[in-house]
Amino acid sequence: MQNSGPAPASGNAPPRRGRGRPRAFDREAALTEAMHLFWRKGFAATAISELTAAMGIGAPSLYAAFGSKEELYTEALRHYRERYEAQVWGNFAAAPTARAAVEALLTDTAVALTQVCAPEAARGCMVTLSAVGGEGHADLGACVQAARALGFERVVARLSRAAAEGEFDASVDISALARFVMTVQGGLSLQARDGASRAELEAVARLTMAGWDARVAD
Amino acid sequence: MQNSGPAPASGNAPPRRGRGRPRAFDREAALTEAMHLFWRKGFAATAISELTAAMGIGAPSLYAAFGSKEELYTEALRHYRERYEAQVWGNFAAAPTARAAVEALLTDTAVALTQVCAPEAARGCMVTLSAVGGEGHADLGACVQAARALGFERVVARLSRAAAEGEFDASVDISALARFVMTVQGGLSLQARDGASRAELEAVARLTMAGWDARVAD
DNA sequence: CCATTTCTGTATTGTTCGATACAGAAAGAT
DNA sequence: ATCTTTCTGTATCGAACAATACAGAAATGG
C-alpha cells in the first residue's frame, strides 16, 4: 500500500534507475497535468479517468506512481506551491519595509492570478479556492488550510518585525492589519475566478495600500 | 420529466391541494436541509443518498418534488438568497450615504458570516464560495456567478448615485472602488471558512473603511 | 543466457452514483 | 362506493466511480 517507487526523489544526481522496467512517462509532467485538473475542477469533481487521460497514462501507472487519489492531490498541491509560491511571496520576502512587502504581495498576486498560462486554465489560487475540506476529506482540508494559515503568519511576522524596527508605532493592531491584507489577497482570487482583469486587481491593490497608509504612520 | 408539482407556490392563500395523495413532508423544510448540505459540501460532493437522508424522504419523492439534482441545487440557492440576502443587503439599501451603505454591508457581512446556526454548519457564503462552475456544470456556475455579479452592480449603482449627489467628487473611480469593496466582502467568506471570529471580521471591515476614507473625500 | 524486478495495457473488481419502475397508499371527484 | 390522481417505499436500473488482477514487456544483475 505504501509508496514503493524507486526512491522517488532521494537527491537526483545519480538518476539511480532501479532494477525493473523504467517508467515510460515523465512523473513531473504528469503531476503538472494532474495539478491543472485538480486546480480547475476540485478534488471531488475530478475523476481518475480524467486524470489518466490528461496525464497520458493508465490507471495502474497512476496508482503505482502516486498511491491514491488523495496522495496525488497532496503531491499536486505541493507541486503547485513549489511552482508559484516565489511568484507571489518572493518580493514580499525581499522588500525593505513592511509596507513595500505588503504592496509587493498584493501587486504580485494580482499579476499572478491574471496571467493566462493555458487556454482554459483555472482562475484563482488553487490553495485559496480549494473546498476539499468541506467535501468530506478532513486530512486534505487541513492541508490546504495550513497552507492558507502560513500566508497569514508570514504577514504577521513581517509586521511584527516592522513594529520592532519602528516602521510604525506600537498602537497598530498587527493581527488585524495582517488579516485585512490576507482578506484582500484571498478576495483577489475570487475576483480572478469571476474574470477580473489584471488592471482591475491592481487597482484593488492600490486601494488597499491607501487603507494601509490611512492606518499606519509612515 | 418537467416539474408537475401541484402549482408549487402560486400564491399560498388557497393551499390549493391538488387531487391526489398529499405530500407527506414539508417542502420548504426539506429544501432547507438540502441547502445546508450543498452549502457545506458543494454540489459534486453531495450525493443524492445524503440528501434524501437529511431531508427525510425517499429518492422518488425528491425527484417528484424537485426534478433533478441540478434543479434542487438551483432551488436551494434561491432559498439561500431569499433567506439571507436581507441580512447582508438590507441596511445597505436603507443607508443615507454610500459610505454608510458600504460600512453596513461589510459589518453586516461580518456578523452574518460568524453567526453559528447549527453545530456543524457551513462557514462562509454559499454563493461566494460555490465552485460549481468549475466542477463541470456550466449552467449552475453561471447562476452563482450572476448572483455574485449582482452584488458588485449594487455597489456600483449606489456609488454612482452618491457621485451624482455630490457625496464625493467625480475623480473617484467608482468601478474600482466597488471592486475593492466586493473583494473585501468576498475575502470575508474565506476568512470565515478558516474560522475567523466576528470581532476579527469586524476589524477587517473597519480597516476597509479607513481605506475608503483615504480615497474618498467625505 | 536466464532470473529478477518493475512498469504498461487490458480487462475487471465491487461500490456508489443519479435516476426510475412498480405496486400500494391516501387523498379528491363523481 | 368507485375512479382518478398523486405521493410513498422498495427494489433496482445502467453508468461511472476508485481501485486492482493479471499477463506481457522492458530493463538490470548475475
Side-chain angles (χ1 to χ4, degrees):
Chain A
M1 198 55 88
Q2 63 267 34
N3 183 359
S4 56
S10 63
N12 60 357
R16 182 100 164 352
R17 292 258 324 289
R19 276 251 303 224
R21 173 174 176 176
R23 181 178 287 132
F25 62 94
D26 181 339
R27 196 179 187 277
E28 290 294 297
L31 190 55
T32 299
E33 291 307 313
M35 174 193 76
H36 283 141
L37 219 46
F38 280 135
W39 188 0
R40 179 152 42 88
K41 305 195 67 182
F43 179 79
T46 302
I48 295 288
S49 59
E50 295 176 285
L51 288 165
T52 56
M55 298 162 87
I57 62 177
S61 298
L62 188 154
Y63 283 94
F66 300 101
S68 69
K69 192 183 174 187
E70 278 86 356
E71 290 174 84
L72 176 56
Y73 185 87
T74 302
E75 275 218 61
L77 204 64
R78 178 188 56 71
H79 192 66
Y80 176 83
R81 295 178 65 185
E82 283 173 4
R83 182 149 168 184
Y84 295 107
E85 198 149 67
Q87 209 168 325
V88 169
W89 290 98
N91 292 329
F92 174 91
T97 65
R99 190 196 184 282
V102 167
E103 186 166 36
L105 171 65
L106 296 178
T107 302
D108 292 348
T109 298
V111 172
L113 289 175
T114 51
Q115 65 188 357
V116 221
C117 24
E120 262 304 314
R123 285 192 288 211
C125 171
M126 181 180 178
V127 173
T128 301
L129 299 183
S130 169
V132 72
E135 290 172 350
H137 300 266
D139 47 346
L140 297 180
C143 189
V144 295
Q145 195 163 334
R148 291 192 286 249
L150 183 59
F152 174 73
E153 285 153 21
R154 278 181 178 140
V155 177
V156 167
R158 187 62 187 84
L159 267 53
S160 297
R161 192 185 118 193
E165 291 173 348
E167 184 179 336
F168 42 78
D169 70 58
S171 74
V172 172
D173 184 337
I174 286 174
S175 185
L177 194 54
R179 182 162 278 107
F180 170 62
V181 170
M182 294 313 292
T183 300
V184 172
Q185 205 241 354
L188 290 178
S189 276
L190 298 170
Q191 294 293 322
R193 176 165 69 173
D194 283 348
S197 71
R198 169 172 166 172
E200 288 168 338
L201 297 192
E202 287 175 329
V204 170
R206 275 194 299 277
L207 282 166
T208 305
M209 294 318 296
W212 172 288
D213 292 334
R215 204 51 147 185
V216 179
D218 249 320
Chain B
M1 197 61 85
Q2 64 267 35
N3 181 2
S4 56
S10 63
N12 61 355
R16 181 100 165 353
R17 292 260 322 293
R19 278 246 304 216
R21 175 176 175 173
R23 181 177 287 132
F25 62 95
D26 181 338
R27 195 178 188 278
E28 290 294 298
L31 190 54
T32 298
E33 292 307 312
M35 175 193 75
H36 283 141
L37 220 46
F38 279 135
W39 189 358
R40 178 153 43 87
K41 304 196 68 182
F43 179 79
T46 303
I48 295 288
S49 60
E50 295 177 286
L51 287 164
T52 57
M55 298 162 87
I57 62 177
S61 297
L62 188 156
Y63 283 94
F66 299 102
S68 69
K69 192 185 176 187
E70 277 86 355
E71 291 175 83
L72 176 58
Y73 185 87
T74 301
E75 275 217 60
L77 204 65
R78 178 187 57 70
H79 192 65
Y80 176 83
R81 295 178 64 185
E82 284 173 3
R83 183 150 167 181
Y84 295 107
E85 198 149 67
Q87 208 168 325
V88 169
W89 291 97
N91 291 331
F92 174 91
T97 65
R99 190 194 184 284
V102 167
E103 186 166 36
L105 171 65
L106 296 179
T107 301
D108 292 349
T109 298
V111 173
L113 289 175
T114 51
Q115 64 188 357
V116 220
C117 23
E120 261 305 314
R123 283 192 289 210
C125 171
M126 180 179 179
V127 173
T128 300
L129 298 182
S130 169
V132 73
E135 289 172 349
H137 300 267
D139 47 346
L140 297 180
C143 189
V144 295
Q145 194 163 333
R148 290 193 286 249
L150 183 60
F152 174 73
E153 286 154 20
R154 277 179 178 141
V155 176
V156 168
R158 187 63 187 83
L159 267 54
S160 298
R161 192 186 118 194
E165 291 173 348
E167 183 179 336
F168 42 77
D169 71 58
S171 74
V172 172
D173 184 337
I174 286 174
S175 185
L177 195 53
R179 182 161 279 105
F180 171 62
V181 170
M182 294 313 291
T183 300
V184 172
Q185 206 241 354
L188 290 178
S189 276
L190 298 170
Q191 294 294 322
R193 175 166 69 173
D194 283 347
S197 71
R198 168 172 166 173
E200 289 167 337
L201 297 192
E202 286 175 329
V204 170
R206 274 194 301 276
L207 283 166
T208 305
M209 295 317 296
W212 173 286
D213 292 334
R215 204 53 148 186
V216 180
D218 247 321

